[in-house]
Amino acid sequence: MALIVQKYGGSSVADAESIKRVAKRVVDTRRAGHDVVVAVSAMGDTTDELLDLANEVAPIPAPRELDMLLSSGERISMALLAMAIHSMGFEARSFTGSQAGMITDSQHGAARIVDVTPVRLREALDEGAIVIVAGFQGFNRDTRDITTLGRGGSDTTAVALAAALSADVCEIYSDVDGIFTSDPRIIPTAQKLDHISSEEMLELAANGAKVLYIRAVEYARRHGVLIHARSTFSSSEGTYVLGEGMKNPREAEEAEMEEPIVAGVATDFSQAKITVAGVPDVPGKAAEIFKIVAKSGANVDMIVQNVSATGRTDISFTVPKADAAGALKSLAAEQNEVGFSNLVHDDQIGKLSVVGAGMRTHSGVSAILFEALSAGGINIEMISTSEIRISVVLRDSDLAEAARTVHTAYGLDGEIEATVHAGTGR
Ligand code: ASP
Ligand code: MG
């Protein structure tokens, strides 16, 4: 008998029918003899709708009240799921984040979990109940207020519960079948991975893959939680995300399989490029520029600086599209101070990233990427690398084609087309 934490995303509990389907899955797990703790997201687009409402009554909603409002979405789904389970003849008890002992810092809208004290959950489990917990929310001890963890925070709730309860596995259910070598909506030949290392998963998530949230994967990595990402709509197994030293539960079946060098290809359309042109090529200018950008709150990803022949250089960098306007405004205000000649804003870019732990030990991995892009006649505008990732910035109109070409070049294409349940991955 195991202790299993299951997380169901908004698309899995979108309506009464879906909630009943989830209830059945939970009950099946209980029937198999396991203890079950469930973390749920709000139904469908509830969180977005609540946010819209808030913005209709106030231009800048008070953060405390916004968290009171948004946390109500998960209270609806948790209670309905508990009722559905009751009606199947099983004991279930729902708990808010604060009842579940989800203790966070005080930052409304982006709270971090600092402690989990699941006393009431333990009691309920000991009494034989199925436990349902509202995802995405917590409680701060100093302010005694309800907090939320940031969009997509229910993944983190589930992983934190799994860590605190020493669960055997944290199953994250969504409307996709698992982690794929690339986004199957862009690359139909993308294959579902049997397993992936958490460090590869973090790089993919940070570079555009949307199946799992970065903070949840980080939390799992730090606390040694085994994640199993799988689909609510099928009973087939999904993808295991393995932390350091963790064994693949399916190892026995496929012993001796050689690990591929590249785990996946991620695409990201969410960034914009800013070029600061004609920057005096003297020490301290990059520092000035990036201090200004940081103060505007923009999160810089890639940076390139041209060689200067004339004593002036161009510095280009990428930021999330939503941050670009603020960064441009702040830079423009300091143009004379910094002494650059002009600013260029380009939001027609796309980022392609190739991720694989095998890059550490294999040479020639980047050559394959560059050859594939060159054969496809695709121009590269920026390049950056980490130990296990190579990213390039391209025209956004080239990104899908580039991803398909590169996916093929690394031998990642599967024989059968991936099934996509028209899902969002949430
Ligand atoms: N309901 C929240 C959101 O939509 C949390 C989640 O779905 O994980 O962001
Ligand atoms: Mg949601």
Side-chain angles (χ1 to χ4, degrees), residues 13-208:
V13 291
D15 49 30
E17 243 1 89
S18 315
I19 289 175
K20 285 198 253 178
R21 185 183 320 120
V22 165
K24 183 169 179 309
R25 213 176 240 275
V26 171
V27 163
D28 285 346
T29 312
R30 180 82 192 115
R31 276 209 185 99
H34 305 303
D35 278 337
V36 194
V37 174
V38 181
V40 277
S41 293
M43 295 170 71
D45 296 327
T46 302
T47 309
D48 290 306
E49 287 159 14
L50 292 172
L51 265 174
D52 289 347
L53 261 178
N55 289 317
E56 272 175 48
V57 298
I60 304 170
R64 177 187 184 277
E65 303 310 327
L66 193 58
D67 275 357
M68 291 299 259
L69 178 73
L70 296 186
S71 59
S72 69
E74 272 72 9
R75 285 188 71 155
I76 296 172
S77 49
M78 74 174 193
L80 289 171
L81 180 58
M83 290 171 198
I85 293 173
H86 286 159
S87 73
M88 297 175 71
F90 283 75
E91 168 68 14
R93 233 170 276 169
S94 66
F95 297 92
T96 64
S98 78
Q99 288 175 319
M102 201 57 67
I103 310 300
T104 72
D105 64 15
S106 60
Q107 211 189 326
H108 287 295
R112 296 211 161 241
I113 297 167
V114 294
D115 195 10
V116 184
T117 53
V119 185
R120 296 193 63 185
L121 310 190
R122 276 266 176 238
E123 280 170 11
L125 287 171
D126 289 345
E127 287 163 27
I130 292 166
V131 167
I132 320 283
V133 179
F136 166 66
Q137 55 181 267
F139 175 77
N140 179 259
R141 282 182 174 138
D142 299 326
T143 61
R144 287 173 293 164
D145 278 328
I146 303 293
T147 54
T148 63
L149 309 180
R151 297 310 304 272
S154 303
D155 285 8
T156 317
T157 301
V159 171
L161 289 172
L165 295 165
S166 304
D168 296 85
V169 61
C170 180
E171 299 181 333
I172 299 194
Y173 287 90
S174 71
D175 56 8
V176 295
D177 287 340
I179 317 289
F180 282 74
T181 50
S182 196
D183 184 341
R185 278 159 299 181
I186 295 178
I187 304 183
T189 52
Q191 309 174 67
K192 185 176 76 183
L193 293 162
D194 168 86
H195 63 277
I196 185 170
S197 71
S198 56
E199 61 167 358
E200 289 169 324
M201 190 61 234
L202 282 173
E203 287 277 8
L204 286 174
N207 291 284

Side-chain angles (χ1 to χ4, degrees), residues 15-17 26 58 93 128 179 222 243 248-249 278 317 322 338 361 414 419:
D15 49 30
E17 243 1 89
V26 171
R93 233 170 276 169
I179 317 289
R222 233 177 306 124
N248 177 4
F317 57 91
V338 183
T361 45
T419 12

Side-chain angles (χ1 to χ4, degrees), residues 274-279 312 314-315 328 335 339-344:
I274 293 174
T275 300
V276 189
V279 181
R312 286 191 176 255
D314 297 343
I315 296 179
L328 284 164
Q335 177 163 9
F340 61 83
S341 52
N342 62 298
L343 292 169
V344 184

Side-chain angles (χ1 to χ4, degrees), residues 274 290 292-301 317-320 322-324 326-327:
I274 293 174
F290 288 106
I292 295 167
V293 175
K295 258 177 89 183
S296 79
N299 201 349
V300 174
D301 180 22
F317 57 91
T318 63
V319 293
D323 292 353

Side-chain angles (χ1 to χ4, degrees), residues 260-300:
I261 298 166
V262 163
V265 176
T267 51
D268 186 357
F269 288 95
S270 71
Q271 302 225 332
K273 182 168 79 171
I274 293 174
T275 300
V276 189
V279 181
D281 194 10
V282 294
K285 287 298 163 189
E288 281 178 41
I289 288 171
F290 288 106
K291 229 187 272 168
I292 295 167
V293 175
K295 258 177 89 183
S296 79
N299 201 349
V300 174

